[in-house]
Amino acid sequence: MAFSRYVVVLALVAGCLLPSGVQALWPIPTTLETGMTTLKISPAFYFDVQIEGAPPDLCDAVAQSQYYLENDKLGRLVVGRGANDTTALASAMTLSKLTLALASGATVGSISSEAVKPLGTRSEEYALMIPADGSAATLTANTTLGLYRGLTTFNQLFYYYGGVTYTSIAPIAIRDTPAYPFRGLALDTSRNYYPVSDILRTLDAMSWVKINTFHWHITDSQSFPLEVAQYPELAINGAYSPQEVYTASDVQHIVQYAAARGIDVMMEIDTPGHTAIIAATYPEYVACFDARPWADFANEPPAGQLRFALPEVMNFTASLLTNVAKTLPSYYFSTGGDELNTNCYANDYLTQRQLNSTGMTLNGALDTFTQTTHGALIAQGKTPVVWEEMVLNWNITLSNETIVMIWISSADAAAVAGRGFRIIQAPSNYFYLDCGAGEWLGDDPTGNSWCDPFKTWSEAYTFDPLANLTEAQYKLVLGGKHNLVSRYIDLSEQSTGEQLLWSEQSGPQNVDPIVWPRAASSAEIFWSGKQPTGAALNVTEALPRLHDVRYRMVQRGVNAIPLQPHWCALRPDACDLYA
Amino acid sequence: MAFSRYVVVLALVAGCLLPSGVQALWPIPTTLETGMTTLKISPAFYFDVQIEGAPPDLCDAVAQSQYYLENDKLGRLVVGRGANDTTALASAMTLSKLTLALASGATVGSISSEAVKPLGTRSEEYALMIPADGSAATLTANTTLGLYRGLTTFNQLFYYYGGVTYTSIAPIAIRDTPAYPFRGLALDTSRNYYPVSDILRTLDAMSWVKINTFHWHITDSQSFPLEVAQYPELAINGAYSPQEVYTASDVQHIVQYAAARGIDVMMEIDTPGHTAIIAATYPEYVACFDARPWADFANEPPAGQLRFALPEVMNFTASLLTNVAKTLPSYYFSTGGDELNTNCYANDYLTQRQLNSTGMTLNGALDTFTQTTHGALIAQGKTPVVWEEMVLNWNITLSNETIVMIWISSADAAAVAGRGFRIIQAPSNYFYLDCGAGEWLGDDPTGNSWCDPFKTWSEAYTFDPLANLTEAQYKLVLGGKHNLVSRYIDLSEQSTGEQLLWSEQSGPQNVDPIVWPRAASSAEIFWSGKQPTGAALNVTEALPRLHDVRYRMVQRGVNAIPLQPHWCALRPDACDLYA
């Protein structure tokens, strides 16, 4: 895109520190130039959308941005919460307008359609210029999706004190684009159910930190809360209750709500393991259902896995996956594939009879099953996504397009990349939001979380997407422009990372505090990649900004937890270990 | 008290198991006899309070009980959530009345006045009888406080299905009294502030599991959110904001709200450490304020401790404590005393000058300070409460009446009891609700919680109040009737235990999920002491009942977390480690 020319006046005074706590953008933009002039929002402020045929979701996004501008009312995180700005505010210029425009020649599409394009073909970049003299601010982008990202940034610039909404760092020049194209959050809605309203609120919070993929682990062994038109009994028999079902209409609402916020919904129906509850409808399709002791057959209760060797189960699964996938705009669909336990089939009569009659091994049957189910998805135009065991533990032929999710350990990325697959970094040792909450199995009072300890925001933040990988493997992880100025490589080979909440001990009661603000860590790792200065991201620089993210979330009704005592949040670095 | 004679008909059928999931009382009563008859609440059900001059708070409690009975609408935690009860409900008798009466000769006092009597002089016992034939149920007790406990139990007996509220275990005969008289929950409102509404909701939840003490750690080094009439500047300068203050009126409201729910408020103003923020008002009273590196002077930032050697500081502290304590009905007031760091005074001119001029040691000055401040409290009729260091780390003369809180380790109980003090068991290795949430200090991304790992409900539940103590020390810990039938010993020597939430990483956003249902663990340990059968408490028996506690809390608007997947909650023991 061609940015309009803009002269940045930086009011840098030698020896004069920038006021602390004001550059609280998250994720930090690719380039960021700021001054020291205070500029307040005019009571007559408006968004001037200079786009012919602006799509309705862009207009909604503008209205939302206006709402946040008027209602965030976030005081700066400094002692006094902005009281010291009173003098500057008395003489401050006012900003009356933000002009939104697309780059010349850009095609006008909806945010929703741009958000679900294949990875590497989306444009999220934008330029946001806010002069210090009160003349119109401008937001330009190649796409409405880029404008949406820019509006999100715009809202983060403003604070509130004494009835005035203002920024203290004008002029501001931001040119921003994500380092990596896939930035996700995963939620398990099977172990415990989340009402639609909780998912929508989570999508809102995701959008505030520019997360662009909702990895929806919608079903598992414990419940099947998804209404599937062709297989209605799955939810009737498998949901926890008729009220704990995502109806087809709910799913469409969630998908559209997400897309309008720049978020693609990558659904997962985990197979052939993690499917016990299907036995409530099709007992003949599930081996070792609720077998005891469960630990002999599964990583957690109840045991039960699809009899994937049976042709009718293979056909059912292919039909189930494609019938669900075809209702979704995303190009990506996960078939799971983790934690398959072979004990489940060792004494399973139907499976063994089938293997004996065909002369197939269990691995061979799994290969056939996977190729069949993936083939059906690919025929629908979908890209299959799997967990790492499908590559590392089994000898399965996967399409080269398959994306592989690393979860067991970050150390496994190299082995998967070494096999030539694109990967999503979802390592439990950095990104599992549920770790550290203690053992949830009964009768084990001295047990701890299997993935102890708790993964703090800062531990997650130190994750390096490129660790343990060779230069040649980079493009499979994420590729991308590590050097923004000089290198743009093919985005189509990129995928990246996500934080995840498994819900054995979570539900609507704690989804906000267990996810936020921690899930903002990977959002910044994968959007920003590095600081605007080119320096590596670091936790000390990041903490004051993350406090800001958290306080703004609370203002907007998301129960993000305090990371530290409020005393610390007002005093950057005063509560560092070695401060 | 004399229980009216009641013939319990137990419909025990050989080889027939009691229906699972129905005896979900928490804490489990001292004695409990149940049958297998279904009994539903009549649409005309009412509470018949046969007490002349019933106090208003008892009437409020009855109205609250009626509200819960009508609005809990909790389905039984079994597959089908009560659908299998339909047949029994069709022919069930109806219960039309619960009669409340005091034992003959009992003096009628308010719940609020009974709840704040000295430990050992309160009567919380009650008898609840629910016949199976629909004739009136009866609740009797020596005090309105006992009736309140009985109403709490009554509400836990009923479930809801298809428009009907019912129990499946009539006839029911409960005679119940706490094993130990002090059952607490501690909340730190200084590191982060909690609005009054959050504290009230927490008090409600506490009352549901018969916790009877709110240990309010109201101030600390980070903020001073307490309005003190004689020292208004402490909150003006020390609260996080004018909105984050507990006004004198707020405190009275909280204390009254608690008392009406059978809860005594034991406030703590931690001294002489944990007082840095007092420097915002009285800088001359505080040594090493915000000194760096803070870790040289304090266990967490900011550093700063009262110059306790100075007479004016001693007098100020005594005046502050007594001015606060005298506004509170409780007999108990904590002066803190933990984590005093001597480095803070090593180079403090004012302290060293005072010590030199008087020839006192630091220990001697602390002894004088403590005797003065405690003496002032005792003169107000209060019993001082301190943290364990005041006994184990310093050579201080404490009144024999002093109660000592064990926090560093459960292993320290023996040493404190060996010194002859009554103790409150608040050991971090069992009861700290904040452990396991990761390092909160900045710039320490690989750091973990200092008291890792997370303390699960079941680990807390295995706490034995008598571990490591000699028989002779028992009465100092808690005394009490370990054998309910044969032994009643002097309750006046009892104190017991509490779970605690320190708020470095907590606030209104997560107080419910981090506290509940875990804090119910100590509530049962200290109320029940053992199972009605006489067997020791055990986590496998307890888990299904604790699920029930949690689901009922959610029904009542408290965001208690799921302990397991809902699948497990419906199937007792199916998710045990070795199930």
Side-chain angles (χ1 to χ4, degrees):
Chain A
M1 66 182 286
F3 286 107
S4 62
R5 183 170 175 78
Y6 186 84
V7 180
V8 180
V9 181
L10 277 181
L12 288 176
V13 180
C16 178
L17 289 172
L18 284 172
S20 65
V22 291
Q23 296 192 14
L25 300 172
W26 192 287
I28 195 81
T30 307
T31 68
L32 172 65
E33 294 173 331
T34 59
M36 296 179 64
T37 300
T38 299
L39 186 63
K40 58 189 180 189
I41 294 289
S42 165
F45 178 87
Y46 70 106
F47 292 81
D48 181 9
V49 182
Q50 297 188 339
I51 299 170
E52 291 249 7
D57 60 7
L58 180 63
C59 299
D60 290 347
V62 166
Q64 181 71 73
S65 183
Q66 177 92 40
Y67 180 86
Y68 291 147
L69 195 65
E70 292 172 1
N71 292 282
D72 276 358
K73 296 187 175 174
L74 177 66
R76 287 208 295 127
L77 285 180
V78 294
V79 176
R81 303 303 299 274
N84 292 342
D85 299 333
T86 309
T87 306
L89 282 170
S91 59
M93 305 291 286
T94 58
L95 179 64
S96 297
K97 182 166 82 163
L98 174 66
T99 298
L100 282 74
L102 290 176
S104 64
T107 308
V108 180
S110 66
I111 299 169
S112 302
S113 63
E114 298 288 345
V116 300
K117 285 185 172 175
L119 290 170
T121 68
R122 300 174 202 162
S123 171
E124 301 184 86
E125 66 183 321
Y126 67 93
L128 175 63
M129 307 293 164
I130 304 178
D133 63 0
S135 59
T138 60
L139 172 60
T140 54
N142 288 322
T143 64
T144 54
L145 179 61
L147 292 176
Y148 182 76
R149 301 299 179 218
L151 286 171
T152 300
T153 302
F154 181 74
N155 283 116
Q156 290 183 342
L157 290 165
F158 293 95
Y159 296 90
Y160 180 88
Y161 187 82
V164 181
T165 299
Y166 65 101
T167 180
S168 300
I169 56 166
I172 301 166
I174 294 170
R175 294 162 191 242
D176 198 13
T177 188
Y180 308 125
F182 179 113
R183 308 173 303 279
L185 177 70
L187 182 67
D188 155 23
T189 59
S190 172
R191 271 61 173 249
N192 283 300
Y193 178 84
Y194 297 81
V196 171
S197 60
D198 292 295
I199 294 178
L200 300 182
R201 190 179 65 257
T202 301
L203 290 165
D204 277 323
M206 290 162 65
S207 76
W208 301 335
V209 292
K210 301 188 174 75
I211 292 174
N212 73 354
T213 307
F214 175 44
H215 170 191
W216 192 355
H217 183 92
I218 193 167
T219 63
D220 209 293
S221 279
Q222 288 79 4
S223 78
F224 198 103
L226 173 62
E227 180 187 77
V228 183
Q230 294 77 5
Y231 302 99
E233 293 81 5
L234 288 171
I236 291 171
N237 302 317
Y240 282 139
S241 74
Q243 291 73 44
E244 290 165 295
V245 170
Y246 302 107
T247 66
S249 157
D250 289 337
V251 170
Q252 289 308 309
H253 181 49
I254 287 168
V255 165
Q256 289 163 14
Y257 193 93
R261 283 153 186 78
I263 299 168
D264 189 21
V265 177
M266 179 178 87
M267 191 177 280
E268 174 180 356
I269 295 185
D270 203 346
T271 62
H274 292 271
T275 48
I277 200 66
I278 290 176
T281 302
Y282 302 109
E284 69 277 20
Y285 291 178
V286 176
C288 74
F289 174 65
D290 205 12
R292 310 286 174 100
W294 60 262
D296 287 352
F297 303 98
N299 278 26
E300 66 183 50
Q305 299 178 164
L306 288 173
R307 291 182 164 118
F308 58 79
L310 275 55
E312 63 270 34
V313 173
M314 190 165 67
N315 293 335
F316 158 76
T317 308
S319 172
L320 171 65
L321 297 178
T322 53
N323 272 306
V324 173
K326 76 182 183 189
T327 70
L328 304 170
S330 180
Y331 281 84
Y332 305 96
F333 195 92
S334 173
T335 64
D338 54 321
E339 299 185 314
L340 192 55
N341 191 313
T342 56
N343 289 348
C344 178
Y345 305 109
N347 295 307
D348 182 55
Y349 173 75
L350 292 177
T351 294
Q352 294 303 326
R353 184 180 68 176
Q354 179 68 17
L355 295 179
N356 288 337
S357 72
T358 58
M360 267 186 163
T361 62
L362 195 68
N363 188 95
L366 184 63
D367 192 22
T368 302
F369 173 86
T370 305
Q371 291 198 46
T372 301
T373 54
H374 282 199
L377 283 170
I378 291 167
Q380 293 275 351
K382 307 295 182 184
T383 298
V385 181
V386 296
W387 294 108
E388 61 173 282
E389 293 98 314
M390 289 288 103
V391 171
L392 299 181
N393 294 12
W394 297 86
N395 185 14
I396 305 287
T397 302
L398 296 169
S399 154
N400 288 337
E401 293 304 304
T402 307
I403 298 175
V404 181
M405 298 183 289
I406 307 300
W407 74 273
I408 297 174
S409 166
S410 53
D412 296 342
V416 174
R419 299 280 292 276
F421 293 103
R422 293 184 292 172
I423 65 180
I424 293 172
Q425 303 265 20
S428 58
N429 53 328
Y430 285 90
F431 286 167
Y432 270 28
L433 297 166
D434 51 310
C435 296
E439 174 64 275
W440 60 267
L441 292 168
D443 203 19
D444 186 23
T446 61
N448 294 323
S449 165
W450 75 268
C451 53
D452 236 9
F454 184 89
K455 311 308 175 205
T456 58
W457 77 268
S458 56
E459 182 163 14
Y461 194 77
T462 63
F463 178 76
D464 177 0
L466 304 181
N468 304 319
L469 297 172
T470 66
E471 185 88 25
Q473 290 170 337
Y474 286 0
K475 70 175 181 181
L476 297 165
V477 191
L478 31 81
K481 40 186 181 30
H482 306 303
N483 180 326
L484 255 155
V485 177
S486 66
R487 190 158 74 104
Y488 282 75
I489 73 162
D490 182 9
L491 290 167
S492 68
E493 292 181 297
Q494 296 188 355
S495 56
T496 49
E498 62 180 23
Q499 283 168 281
L500 312 89
L501 179 60
W502 303 104
S503 297
E504 286 85 355
Q505 296 158 290
S506 287
Q509 293 76 28
N510 67 335
V511 61
D512 283 10
I514 204 167
V515 170
W516 304 113
R518 279 194 295 160
S521 284
S522 63
E524 179 152 293
I525 293 169
F526 293 120
W527 176 283
S528 309
K530 56 182 178 48
Q531 297 187 54
T533 59
L537 298 176
N538 83 75
V539 295
T540 305
E541 185 281 328
L543 175 56
R545 290 187 295 108
L546 190 57
H547 276 307
D548 214 275
V549 170
R550 178 264 167 178
Y551 281 81
R552 199 177 290 270
M553 284 185 167
V554 170
Q555 293 293 94
R556 293 179 184 178
V558 168
N559 281 323
I561 63 162
L563 297 171
Q564 294 186 321
H566 185 61
W567 190 91
C568 306
L570 299 182
R571 295 165 178 86
D573 305 331
C575 296
D576 286 354
L577 180 59
Y578 301 109
Chain B
M1 66 183 286
F3 286 107
S4 61
R5 184 171 174 77
Y6 186 84
V7 179
V8 180
V9 181
L10 276 181
L12 287 175
V13 180
C16 178
L17 289 172
L18 285 171
S20 64
V22 292
Q23 296 192 13
L25 300 172
W26 191 288
I28 195 81
T30 306
T31 68
L32 172 63
E33 294 174 331
T34 59
M36 296 179 65
T37 301
T38 300
L39 186 63
K40 58 189 180 189
I41 294 288
S42 164
F45 178 88
Y46 71 106
F47 293 81
D48 181 9
V49 181
Q50 298 188 338
I51 300 170
E52 290 250 8
D57 59 8
L58 179 64
C59 299
D60 290 346
V62 166
Q64 181 70 72
S65 184
Q66 176 93 39
Y67 180 86
Y68 291 146
L69 195 65
E70 292 172 3
N71 292 281
D72 276 359
K73 295 187 176 174
L74 177 65
R76 287 208 296 129
L77 285 181
V78 293
V79 176
R81 303 303 299 275
N84 292 342
D85 299 332
T86 309
T87 307
L89 282 171
S91 60
M93 306 291 285
T94 58
L95 178 66
S96 297
K97 181 166 82 163
L98 174 67
T99 299
L100 282 76
L102 290 177
S104 65
T107 308
V108 180
S110 66
I111 298 169
S112 302
S113 63
E114 298 289 343
V116 300
K117 285 186 171 175
L119 291 170
T121 68
R122 299 175 202 161
S123 172
E124 300 184 86
E125 66 182 323
Y126 67 92
L128 175 63
M129 308 292 162
I130 304 179
D133 63 0
S135 59
T138 60
L139 173 59
T140 53
N142 288 323
T143 64
T144 54
L145 179 60
L147 293 176
Y148 182 77
R149 299 300 178 217
L151 286 170
T152 300
T153 301
F154 182 74
N155 282 116
Q156 289 184 343
L157 290 165
F158 293 95
Y159 296 90
Y160 180 88
Y161 187 82
V164 181
T165 299
Y166 64 101
T167 180
S168 301
I169 56 168
I172 302 167
I174 294 171
R175 294 164 193 240
D176 198 13
T177 188
Y180 307 127
F182 180 114
R183 307 173 303 277
L185 178 70
L187 182 67
D188 154 24
T189 60
S190 171
R191 271 61 173 247
N192 283 301
Y193 177 84
Y194 298 80
V196 171
S197 60
D198 292 295
I199 293 179
L200 300 183
R201 191 179 64 258
T202 301
L203 290 166
D204 277 324
M206 290 162 64
S207 75
W208 301 335
V209 292
K210 302 188 174 74
I211 292 174
N212 72 355
T213 307
F214 175 44
H215 170 191
W216 192 355
H217 183 93
I218 193 166
T219 63
D220 209 294
S221 277
Q222 288 80 6
S223 77
F224 198 101
L226 173 63
E227 181 187 75
V228 183
Q230 293 77 4
Y231 302 99
E233 291 82 5
L234 288 171
I236 291 171
N237 301 316
Y240 282 140
S241 74
Q243 292 72 43
E244 290 165 295
V245 170
Y246 303 108
T247 66
S249 157
D250 289 337
V251 170
Q252 289 307 310
H253 181 48
I254 286 168
V255 164
Q256 288 163 14
Y257 193 93
R261 284 153 185 79
I263 298 169
D264 189 23
V265 177
M266 180 179 86
M267 190 176 281
E268 174 179 356
I269 294 186
D270 203 349
T271 62
H274 292 271
T275 47
I277 201 66
I278 291 175
T281 301
Y282 302 109
E284 68 277 21
Y285 291 177
V286 176
C288 74
F289 175 64
D290 205 12
R292 309 287 175 98
W294 59 262
D296 288 353
F297 304 98
N299 277 27
E300 66 182 49
Q305 300 177 162
L306 287 173
R307 290 182 165 118
F308 58 80
L310 275 54
E312 63 269 32
V313 174
M314 189 166 68
N315 294 334
F316 158 76
T317 306
S319 172
L320 171 64
L321 298 178
T322 53
N323 273 304
V324 173
K326 75 182 182 190
T327 70
L328 304 170
S330 180
Y331 280 85
Y332 306 96
F333 194 93
S334 173
T335 64
D338 54 319
E339 300 185 314
L340 191 57
N341 191 312
T342 57
N343 289 347
C344 178
Y345 304 109
N347 296 305
D348 182 56
Y349 173 74
L350 291 177
T351 295
Q352 294 303 324
R353 185 180 67 178
Q354 179 68 18
L355 295 180
N356 289 336
S357 71
T358 58
M360 267 185 161
T361 62
L362 196 66
N363 187 95
L366 184 62
D367 192 22
T368 303
F369 173 86
T370 305
Q371 292 199 45
T372 302
T373 55
H374 282 199
L377 284 170
I378 291 168
Q380 293 277 350
K382 307 295 182 185
T383 299
V385 180
V386 296
W387 294 108
E388 62 173 279
E389 293 100 312
M390 288 290 103
V391 171
L392 299 180
N393 294 14
W394 297 86
N395 184 14
I396 305 286
T397 301
L398 295 169
S399 154
N400 287 338
E401 292 304 303
T402 306
I403 298 174
V404 181
M405 300 183 289
I406 307 301
W407 72 275
I408 297 174
S409 166
S410 53
D412 296 342
V416 173
R419 298 281 292 277
F421 293 103
R422 291 184 293 173
I423 64 180
I424 294 172
Q425 302 267 19
S428 57
N429 52 328
Y430 284 90
F431 286 166
Y432 271 28
L433 296 166
D434 51 310
C435 295
E439 174 64 277
W440 62 266
L441 292 168
D443 204 18
D444 186 23
T446 60
N448 294 324
S449 166
W450 75 269
C451 52
D452 236 8
F454 183 90
K455 311 308 173 207
T456 58
W457 77 268
S458 55
E459 182 164 11
Y461 195 77
T462 62
F463 178 76
D464 177 0
L466 304 182
N468 305 319
L469 296 173
T470 65
E471 184 88 24
Q473 289 171 338
Y474 286 180
K475 70 174 182 182
L476 297 165
V477 191
L478 28 81
K481 38 185 182 28
H482 305 303
N483 179 324
L484 257 157
V485 178
S486 66
R487 191 158 74 106
Y488 282 73
I489 73 163
D490 182 10
L491 290 165
S492 69
E493 292 181 298
Q494 297 187 355
S495 57
T496 50
E498 61 180 25
Q499 283 169 280
L500 311 90
L501 180 60
W502 303 104
S503 297
E504 286 85 355
Q505 296 158 291
S506 287
Q509 295 76 29
N510 67 336
V511 61
D512 283 8
I514 204 169
V515 170
W516 303 112
R518 280 194 293 158
S521 284
S522 63
E524 179 153 293
I525 293 170
F526 293 120
W527 177 284
S528 308
K530 57 181 178 49
Q531 298 187 51
T533 59
L537 299 175
N538 83 74
V539 296
T540 305
E541 184 282 328
L543 175 56
R545 291 187 294 111
L546 191 58
H547 276 306
D548 213 275
V549 170
R550 179 264 169 179
Y551 280 80
R552 198 176 291 269
M553 284 185 167
V554 170
Q555 294 292 92
R556 294 180 183 176
V558 168
N559 281 323
I561 63 162
L563 297 171
Q564 295 186 321
H566 184 60
W567 190 91
C568 306
L570 299 183
R571 295 166 178 84
D573 305 331
C575 296
D576 285 354
L577 180 59
Y578 299 108

